[in-house]
Amino acid sequence: MSHLKRLRPEAVAAPSSGILAVIQYAFGRDGLLPLWAGEGDLPTPDFIRAAAAEGLARGETFYTYQRGLPELRQALADYTQALYGQPQSPDRFFVTGSGMQAIQIALTALTGAGDEIVYFGPAWPNLPAAAALRGVKPVEVAFDPIAGGWQLDLDKVRDAIGEKTRALFVNTPANPTGWTATYQELEALRDMAREAGIAIIADEIYSQFFYVGERAPSFHDVMSEEDTIFFVNSFSKNWAMTGWRVGWIEAPVEFDEVIANLIQYSTSGVAAFMQRGAIAAIREGGAFVEEQTARAKIARDLFCNRLLATNRVALSPPDGAFYAFFSIDGIEDTRQAAFRIIDEANVGLAPGTAFGTAAPQFLRACFHRRLDEVEMAAERLADWIGAA
């Protein structure tokens, strides 16, 4: 008898990563420009690493607060208050072992087997996969492609919300499309959640990687105390801490004991010395974030303009996040194309098939890298497109 028969069907059915397949294929190739993963090219800044090292040197290696160090929760409240201009209590903030764990905790708190969650696609694949592992049906509302960009049909969202819907998952600015909700769209989504009596899980991790203003519109701008919103976030993108696996949840104070218990029964908290690094990131990392977002904007324009000049690419420079999501005239099988581009152009891209069924003919490039590498990758891709 196969050992697999002893596993839950949801576990066996968990999809393999379409991005990881490409990365494994090309791992270690000389001169390859890797634009496939959702991270920048810089290591964590010295001042963050030093703060973590100091905590480790002090012996901060014991069990710690499930909710997170009080200093970090206060820092998160201060950061959020400064970003959105609204008073914040540290009691609303909970430190998690990554943004992904923040999402899993929100799903655990809100949904169970047989429930549904509505999200927008093409989308980062971890959310629907995590929901399906819980026996929750992920209901995708596809963006409408408009002149290389993306538009959300609010009527489609409304129609997708049914009796089994427990939450609406909104990633804005979005991975992989760069779609960013307007204030009016956020108000409409808020109203739908109110009318249906459901919660919102707001993934606003890319809120500062926004290129048409200081920050992206947020549910913070349109919510009131009656709205049940789980904000899930991470230190990964803003402060170049992807490998640290530290994130946070912001949620109503009323959920304090529930969220603390869910952390207890999963990881029992994030290592204290790692949280010291996170405190330094929040308190001292403003200039670093500004530098990174400014560089990403230049990289966005450089990359997108070069590909558009081929006259064979459908692409709208994204308002937010740090991805170019584009299609190439005549290319339908992007999984095969991603492997060809590795072999023939030495550039690593993520195929659109990795982000669900909504846009399989698209490719994703992360342009959050050194400008000379972005320029070189764009030239290689343009040459490949011209010859394909």
Side-chain angles (χ1 to χ4, degrees):
M1 184 184 75
S2 169
H3 294 298
L4 291 173
K5 291 184 178 180
R6 301 191 185 279
L7 302 182
R8 291 290 302 160
E10 294 87 354
V12 176
S16 299
S17 169
I19 303 173
L20 185 60
V22 177
I23 293 174
Q24 290 176 335
Y25 177 74
F27 186 78
R29 294 203 183 195
D30 287 341
L32 181 131
L33 296 173
L35 308 187
W36 42 39
E39 62 181 351
D41 59 325
L42 293 178
T44 305
D46 288 344
F47 68 92
I48 298 175
R49 287 184 284 161
E54 289 168 7
L56 190 59
R58 287 194 298 269
E60 291 187 319
T61 58
F62 297 93
Y63 290 131
T64 187
Y65 298 88
Q66 295 167 6
R67 296 165 177 81
L69 293 177
E71 300 97 312
L72 179 52
R73 299 177 75 198
Q74 183 63 61
L76 288 167
D78 294 342
Y79 166 79
T80 304
Q81 181 169 317
L83 195 59
Y84 300 110
Q86 301 166 359
Q88 295 289 339
S89 167
D91 294 335
R92 285 178 54 84
F93 294 85
F94 306 84
V95 182
T96 60
S98 75
M100 188 63 230
Q101 193 199 19
I103 291 171
Q104 289 173 325
I105 287 173
L107 286 172
T108 301
L110 292 168
T111 66
D115 291 337
E116 296 180 355
I117 183 168
V118 174
Y119 73 103
F120 313 143
W124 181 53
N126 290 36
L127 178 275
L133 281 170
R134 294 188 45 74
V136 176
K137 180 181 178 181
V139 178
E140 182 183 59
V141 176
F143 289 113
D144 293 330
I146 304 292
W150 306 89
Q151 180 174 300
L152 181 65
D153 187 329
L154 292 170
D155 289 333
K156 289 183 181 179
V157 179
R158 187 175 287 105
D159 291 343
I161 297 173
E163 292 183 0
K164 295 182 179 180
T165 305
R166 295 293 174 264
L168 186 63
F169 184 90
V170 184
N171 173 213
T172 176
N175 173 12
T177 61
W179 170 83
T180 303
T182 64
Y183 293 105
Q184 293 75 24
E185 287 170 325
L186 292 173
E187 288 176 337
L189 294 170
R190 176 206 62 194
D191 291 345
M192 288 182 207
R194 288 178 179 176
E195 292 164 9
I198 62 176
I200 293 172
I201 302 175
D203 178 351
E204 298 182 355
I205 187 173
Y206 297 102
S207 62
Q208 294 207 65
F209 283 91
F210 187 59
Y211 310 114
V212 291
E214 290 186 7
R215 64 161 176 83
S218 165
F219 277 108
H220 286 96
D221 301 313
V222 301
M223 67 183 291
S224 67
E225 290 186 5
E226 70 183 271
D227 298 308
T228 302
I229 301 179
F230 281 74
F231 291 92
V232 293
N233 217 313
S234 171
F235 286 85
S236 292
K237 314 299 182 180
N238 286 344
W239 298 282
M241 296 172 68
T242 51
W244 292 59
R245 318 312 301 139
V246 183
W248 75 88
I249 292 172
E250 179 195 344
V253 175
E254 186 177 353
F255 297 158
D256 174 84
E257 193 67 25
V258 172
I259 295 175
N261 287 339
L262 293 176
I263 293 172
Q264 168 64 23
Y265 300 136
S266 53
T267 59
S268 297
V270 175
F273 65 89
M274 293 169 64
Q275 293 188 60
R276 294 298 177 191
I279 293 169
I282 288 281
R283 296 292 193 203
E284 305 170 38
F288 179 78
V289 175
E290 290 179 6
E291 291 169 4
Q292 295 313 291
T293 53
R295 185 183 75 157
K297 185 179 187 300
I298 296 170
R300 178 200 69 155
D301 295 342
L302 188 159
F303 187 88
C304 293
N305 290 340
R306 183 65 188 93
L307 263 61
L308 287 169
T310 66
N311 294 317
R312 287 191 57 202
V313 168
L315 167 64
S316 179
D319 287 345
F322 42 65
Y323 309 105
F325 200 56
F326 60 96
S327 63
I328 303 170
D329 183 42
I331 300 295
E332 294 295 329
D333 186 345
T334 56
R335 188 177 191 278
Q336 181 188 56
F339 290 112
R340 283 186 58 199
I341 290 169
I342 289 168
D343 290 335
E344 299 168 14
N346 217 19
V347 177
L349 302 175
T353 51
F355 303 97
T357 60
Q361 73 277 27
F362 281 72
L363 292 152
R364 189 194 75 174
C366 174
F367 52 74
H368 187 30
R369 300 187 65 81
R370 277 172 31 196
L371 296 180
D372 61 324
E373 291 189 350
V374 173
E375 183 175 19
M376 187 183 303
E379 288 295 335
R380 290 181 185 178
L381 284 170
D383 289 344
W384 186 88
I385 291 167

